Amino acid sequence: LLVAELWLCLSFGWAASPSPSCLSAQFRRPGDFILGGLFPFGKDTVNLTARSEPTLLVCERLFTDGLIWALGMRFAIDQINNSSSLLPGITLGYDMYDTCFEALVALQPSLLFLTRNGTTGIGVLCNYTEYQPRVTAVIGPHTSDLCLVTAKLFSSFLIPQVSYGASSETLSNTELYPSFYRTVPSDKNLVEAVVLLLNQFGWNWIATIGSDDEYGRGARALFLSMVGNDNICIAFEGLIPTDLAEPNAKKQLEDTVKLINSTKVNVIVLFAFSLPAQALLEHSIRMGLGKKVWIGTEAWMLSDIAASIPNIQSIGTVLGFVMRTGTVPGFQEYVAELFSSVEQEEFCRESRELSRLMNAEVLDTHCQQCGHVTLRDIWPMLGVTTVQPVHVAVYSVAHALHRALGCTQKACPKTPIRSWQLLHFMNTLPFEVNGQSFRFDQSHNTNTGYKLIFWAWRNGTLTYLPVGDYDQSLYIRKFQIQFHTADQKEPTSECFRRCQPGQFRRIKGFNLCCYDCTDCPENTFLSSPDSTSCSPCPQHQWAPARSTQCQDRSERFLFWDEPLAVALVTLTALSTALSCGTALLFLKHLQTPLVQASGGGRSLFALLSLVLMSLSCCLYVGKPSDGLCTAQQLSYALCLNGCFSTFVPKALEITLVTEFPRCAPRLLRWVTHSRAWLLVAASLLTEGLLCLCHLQLGPDFLVLDYQSLPSEVLLVCGTKSWAAFALLHGYNSCLAFACFLCTFMVQTPGRRYNVARGITFATLIYFIIWIFFVVIFATLRTVLRAVTQICTILATTLGILVSYFIPKCYIMVFRPDLNTGDYFQNPTDEEPKEDS
């Protein structure tokens, strides 16, 4: 039964030789230590006959691969037995069986390997420390499905099992499978290589398909778990049947091709063995899927089963990873010599003698079809089938056995060794095979790396062209790859364009992989390329649109060297000079009627206040501070009060003379001459007290404004208490209003100078300026706020100068003839009129 599956294939006569050979007797050999071998010689005939391609080709390839792997194990054992340094004096035997790619079939020899040495029974014991099974270690099987079954058995007895083809990541769990090893990389390494390949070409919208077996499901699940962190989106994921004889297998394949076509992807990742891969590719060609980029693995990339599909060139570009293995020196010569010996009588006689030493009744391994195989049948596959993993697997057990026995370079002690004793040496020590060092990692894997293979068609002939290497990192020689596109450059496969730095993904629709790239607005940045929104910058930083990081804000205030500040300082200097010039002119004509009628010495005090008020504009230029902010308001209020306080006695004097003539003689002495200074002092004292209240209630302070300017922090003076602000400036407004009420209705006799008119216009200008100032000052939060305050001060100063002092200067300079007592007669010198 174990070989009946291949009998159908052999009945075609594809490998019939003129005379039978003795090769079939060479799958068992006695020795001091027996290595069990599990190799795929056959396949379920139902599956084979369900294929659309000729059954002959399928059977030939499956049988040839298994036979070459078995010969590779025998070659390694013969080398070790002939070695003088590795296991000297020790003979290794082997016992090989066919798995037929079926778990139930593989269980039979696996149970045989577990039987107690020399018997056909398995001991049921509490302690297996001294238990000696039939074999010391097991080589194989090839596929992950079979290894997941057999590894549980061998791990229960801690018998080393070294696979030469199983790559499932599940087998890396050393807690479940403590005695399982493999000489091929796990699927995790393969998937990492595939993800790097997709990233290098910028393919982020793909389909992934796996065969419905342990290899396909495991690799696909690993791939799906990894691509999420690499901005790769899956447009379609599915499984294809491995048992093509199932009734719905064809429909399942057709539905898969239709779904792939509907996603409009250009890249398909296929994790499958050769037969399921062949079925999918056939349906893709028949249904007109179009040219795509197919990314495959060694499971089907190097298979002539898939490559022999008619019109296979029309599928597009095929790239894939195959394990990077070296050659086994002398193997081809060994196989050639073996096949030349199997027809010799001496070889056959020795084979029959060895067969008599073995128990032929226990799972006889006599391979009927192997007697009809010639060297010509398997020679083409010797250069394609990878033998090194089998070779390394045998040597790993031999080196562990060598160390466990305590062998030297010359001899090995004949001491019994239990299988579990080999595990320590296999876990810890490296070993060398043909000058190359190998070592099992913590997961009992050997990562030998991968080669990136490109299917190159040259004159209709397929060539496996190496175009890259992977060993922790991927290197690709892109110039060697000729894609199926018109310009032979890599096609695009993306649902979205890759966002530029500073752009975030705005998801559109229901698929998270489809989105538009949107620029980050000002003062936000993209903290991570995977972010779907922009992060705001900290308050002390800013960022232009489409930024990936924030920058520190620069300070903004009214700098001394900027043009606007220079213009304002110049205007301040002119205002100060004008005030000083006016004061000097008044001082020169202090005793003249004009100056005396204007207040005499009090006019000089008012001009001095205007000079100081003009100079206070300099407090608003340069970098502000809490002290400067406080000084700005206090200096302006005190200086303005000093000017208005000199107007009050004159305004009251005019009111008493014109509106209350009967009371004037009695009250005028309190608002004229030296007593008028008492009013000035009282006004200044009151303003000083209000300044103290302002300091107590809440002086102006430095404010760092991060909102008004996009890229700068604005340094402005903020008002802490508007009540204190109103008290400070409200008193001056009350003085101005009182002066205005006292003077705006005063009539002057003809040919007399109207002193009241100057006060009226000065206070009126002040009110107009303050109406605009209050509105602007309360709303403006930019650097122009300091400019507004400077302009208010200068406008107030110049307004008072122009309306009150400049006309008098004009008379003193250009009309000195009017500077007489008659024209500037003091109201107090006039005779008050009686009330009618």
Side-chain angles (χ1 to χ4, degrees), residues 652-670:
L652 292 175
E653 178 185 352
I654 295 172
T655 302
L656 287 173
V657 171
T658 58
E659 300 298 331
F660 305 98
R662 184 171 299 197
C663 302
R666 185 174 67 254
L667 298 177
L668 282 175
R669 63 178 180 272
W670 294 101

Side-chain angles (χ1 to χ4, degrees), residues 377-616:
D377 297 323
I378 68 169
W379 186 261
M381 302 307 301
L382 286 177
V384 178
T385 304
T386 303
V387 182
Q388 190 191 40
V390 179
H391 197 70
V392 174
V394 176
Y395 267 88
S396 68
V397 176
H399 279 279
L401 186 60
H402 182 93
R403 293 172 182 129
L405 288 170
C407 298
T408 64
Q409 294 291 329
K410 296 182 179 180
C412 289
K414 297 286 185 175
T415 57
I417 291 294
R418 304 293 181 258
S419 297
W420 59 267
Q421 293 176 294
L422 302 182
L423 299 180
H424 169 73
F425 300 98
M426 297 186 69
N427 290 338
T428 57
L429 297 177
F431 57 95
E432 189 172 298
V433 182
N434 296 326
Q436 186 176 357
S437 180
F438 294 89
R439 184 170 191 160
F440 293 110
D441 59 20
Q442 293 181 347
S443 300
H444 297 176
N445 305 323
T446 56
N447 186 10
T448 55
Y450 293 94
K451 290 188 297 183
L452 179 62
I453 299 298
F454 166 61
W455 275 15
W457 296 93
R458 296 173 179 173
N459 298 325
T461 303
L462 175 61
T463 302
Y464 302 110
L465 180 64
V467 293
D469 296 280
Y470 170 77
D471 189 1
Q472 307 302 323
S473 61
L474 179 62
Y475 170 72
I476 304 177
R477 296 180 289 275
K478 294 184 179 181
F479 65 92
Q480 292 183 319
I481 304 176
Q482 296 180 353
F483 288 93
H484 59 269
T485 54
D487 56 0
Q488 295 187 344
K489 294 182 179 180
E490 64 267 20
T492 59
S493 185
E494 49 188 9
C495 176
F496 52 85
R497 60 185 179 90
R498 287 193 176 273
C499 293
Q500 299 298 319
Q503 293 181 325
F504 71 96
R505 303 174 182 178
R506 188 183 297 276
I507 305 299
K508 57 180 182 180
F510 299 99
N511 198 316
L512 296 180
C513 298
C514 291
Y515 53 79
D516 292 324
C517 294
T518 305
D519 293 347
C520 286
E522 289 186 352
N523 289 328
T524 63
F525 71 102
L526 192 67
S527 57
S528 171
D530 300 328
S531 299
T532 56
S533 63
C534 299
S535 303
C537 290
Q539 191 178 42
H540 65 283
Q541 292 183 322
W542 78 286
R546 197 167 154 179
S547 296
T548 57
Q549 61 182 1
C550 295
Q551 308 172 22
D552 291 334
R553 289 176 177 265
S554 59
E555 294 180 340
R556 184 69 176 98
F557 47 86
L558 191 60
F559 292 94
W560 285 97
D561 56 350
E562 61 180 292
L564 183 58
V566 172
L568 292 174
V569 170
T570 303
L571 191 59
T572 299
L574 293 175
S575 176
T576 304
L578 184 61
S579 300
C580 290
T582 302
L584 291 175
L585 191 61
F586 267 64
L587 180 62
K588 181 179 179 181
H589 299 85
L590 182 61
Q591 302 303 324
T592 62
L594 184 152
V595 176
Q596 291 299 316
S598 301
R602 296 193 303 275
S603 296
L604 293 176
F605 184 77
L607 288 168
L608 177 62
S609 298
L610 293 179
V611 170
L612 294 177
M613 191 163 67
S614 296
L615 292 176
S616 69

Side-chain angles (χ1 to χ4, degrees), residues 89-101:
I90 297 295
T91 302
L92 295 181
Y94 54 84
D95 202 350
M96 303 183 195
Y97 290 90
D98 184 11
T99 64
C100 296
F101 287 98

Side-chain angles (χ1 to χ4, degrees), residues 47 49 71 125 133 146 190 258 299 337 359 387 394 449 468 496-497 507 524 572 624 698 735 760 829:
N47 288 340
T49 55
L71 293 178
L125 308 174
L146 300 184
L190 174 64
K258 290 178 182 178
E337 182 180 355
N359 188 357
V387 182
V394 176
F496 52 85
R497 60 185 179 90
I507 305 299
T524 63
T572 299
L735 290 180
T760 302
D829 297 334

Side-chain angles (χ1 to χ4, degrees), residues 531-770:
S531 299
T532 56
S533 63
C534 299
S535 303
C537 290
Q539 191 178 42
H540 65 283
Q541 292 183 322
W542 78 286
R546 197 167 154 179
S547 296
T548 57
Q549 61 182 1
C550 295
Q551 308 172 22
D552 291 334
R553 289 176 177 265
S554 59
E555 294 180 340
R556 184 69 176 98
F557 47 86
L558 191 60
F559 292 94
W560 285 97
D561 56 350
E562 61 180 292
L564 183 58
V566 172
L568 292 174
V569 170
T570 303
L571 191 59
T572 299
L574 293 175
S575 176
T576 304
L578 184 61
S579 300
C580 290
T582 302
L584 291 175
L585 191 61
F586 267 64
L587 180 62
K588 181 179 179 181
H589 299 85
L590 182 61
Q591 302 303 324
T592 62
L594 184 152
V595 176
Q596 291 299 316
S598 301
R602 296 193 303 275
S603 296
L604 293 176
F605 184 77
L607 288 168
L608 177 62
S609 298
L610 293 179
V611 170
L612 294 177
M613 191 163 67
S614 296
L615 292 176
S616 69
C617 293
C618 296
L619 297 176
Y620 297 88
V621 185
K623 185 176 180 179
S625 63
D626 289 333
L628 284 176
C629 290
T630 302
Q632 288 173 2
Q633 297 298 330
L634 297 182
S635 61
Y636 174 60
L638 286 172
C639 293
L640 186 61
N641 184 267
C643 180
F644 283 164
S645 63
T646 62
F647 291 170
V648 171
K650 178 57 67 176
L652 292 175
E653 178 185 352
I654 295 172
T655 302
L656 287 173
V657 171
T658 58
E659 300 298 331
F660 305 98
R662 184 171 299 197
C663 302
R666 185 174 67 254
L667 298 177
L668 282 175
R669 63 178 180 272
W670 294 101
V671 294
T672 58
H673 305 298
S674 59
R675 291 187 178 182
W677 285 103
L678 293 177
L679 290 176
V680 174
S683 178
L684 286 172
L685 179 61
T686 304
E687 185 66 26
L689 293 175
L690 292 176
C691 288
L692 292 177
C693 292
H694 181 267
L695 292 175
Q696 288 298 115
L697 292 176
D700 287 7
F701 61 98
L702 179 63
V703 175
L704 303 180
D705 184 1
Y706 296 98
Q707 306 299 325
S708 298
L709 301 178
S711 62
E712 299 168 308
V713 51
L714 180 62
L715 275 60
V716 294
C717 294
T719 302
K720 185 175 183 180
S721 173
W722 285 102
F725 181 88
L727 285 175
L728 187 65
H729 297 285
Y731 179 65
N732 288 331
S733 299
C734 290
L735 290 180
F737 186 66
C739 293
F740 177 78
L741 289 179
C742 292
T743 59
F744 84 102
M745 292 294 291
V746 173
Q747 297 293 327
T748 302
R751 302 184 62 81
R752 295 282 182 89
Y753 183 80
N754 192 344
V755 180
R757 189 179 302 158
I759 298 176
T760 302
F761 280 109
T763 55
L764 183 61
I765 291 173
Y766 165 77
F767 283 121
I768 293 173
I769 292 172
W770 259 83

Side-chain angles (χ1 to χ4, degrees), residues 219-459:
R220 187 180 67 105
L222 269 176
F223 180 74
L224 294 176
S225 66
M226 287 187 181
V227 295
N229 298 326
D230 289 88
N231 298 329
I232 298 173
C233 300
I234 306 301
F236 170 77
E237 55 175 296
L239 294 172
I240 55 176
T242 55
D243 187 359
L244 302 175
E246 292 182 359
N248 62 340
K250 180 178 179 181
K251 183 179 185 304
Q252 188 175 348
L253 289 168
E254 292 176 348
D255 291 343
T256 300
V257 175
K258 290 178 182 178
L259 289 171
I260 295 174
N261 192 41
S262 65
T263 60
K264 301 187 183 303
V265 297
N266 288 326
V267 177
I268 303 170
V269 180
L270 177 58
F271 299 103
F273 285 110
S274 56
L275 292 179
Q278 180 193 17
L280 179 64
L281 294 176
E282 283 180 345
H283 280 78
S284 300
I285 296 171
R286 181 174 59 83
M287 298 176 65
L289 178 62
K291 293 187 176 182
K292 308 287 183 181
V293 176
W294 294 81
I295 299 178
T297 64
E298 190 171 6
W300 65 272
M301 278 285 299
L302 300 181
S303 172
D304 54 358
I305 296 176
S308 62
I309 300 174
N311 200 24
I312 187 62
Q313 299 96 322
S314 64
I315 65 172
T317 303
V318 179
L319 291 168
F321 291 95
V322 299
M323 188 173 62
R324 188 169 56 203
T325 59
T327 59
V328 179
F331 177 66
Q332 291 187 354
E333 293 80 359
Y334 172 82
V335 174
E337 182 180 355
L338 177 64
F339 272 87
S340 65
S341 301
V342 295
E343 297 180 1
Q344 299 177 9
E345 180 59 31
E346 181 65 20
F347 181 87
C348 293
R349 184 183 61 79
E350 293 179 357
S351 297
R352 285 191 292 268
E353 291 179 358
L354 289 174
S355 297
R356 282 194 294 269
L357 296 176
M358 307 296 292
N359 188 357
E361 296 179 358
V362 180
L363 285 179
D364 186 15
T365 60
H366 184 70
C367 179
Q368 298 293 338
Q369 72 270 30
C370 293
H372 299 277
V373 178
T374 65
L375 179 62
R376 184 185 60 186
D377 297 323
I378 68 169
W379 186 261
M381 302 307 301
L382 286 177
V384 178
T385 304
T386 303
V387 182
Q388 190 191 40
V390 179
H391 197 70
V392 174
V394 176
Y395 267 88
S396 68
V397 176
H399 279 279
L401 186 60
H402 182 93
R403 293 172 182 129
L405 288 170
C407 298
T408 64
Q409 294 291 329
K410 296 182 179 180
C412 289
K414 297 286 185 175
T415 57
I417 291 294
R418 304 293 181 258
S419 297
W420 59 267
Q421 293 176 294
L422 302 182
L423 299 180
H424 169 73
F425 300 98
M426 297 186 69
N427 290 338
T428 57
L429 297 177
F431 57 95
E432 189 172 298
V433 182
N434 296 326
Q436 186 176 357
S437 180
F438 294 89
R439 184 170 191 160
F440 293 110
D441 59 20
Q442 293 181 347
S443 300
H444 297 176
N445 305 323
T446 56
N447 186 10
T448 55
Y450 293 94
K451 290 188 297 183
L452 179 62
I453 299 298
F454 166 61
W455 275 15
W457 296 93
R458 296 173 179 173
N459 298 325

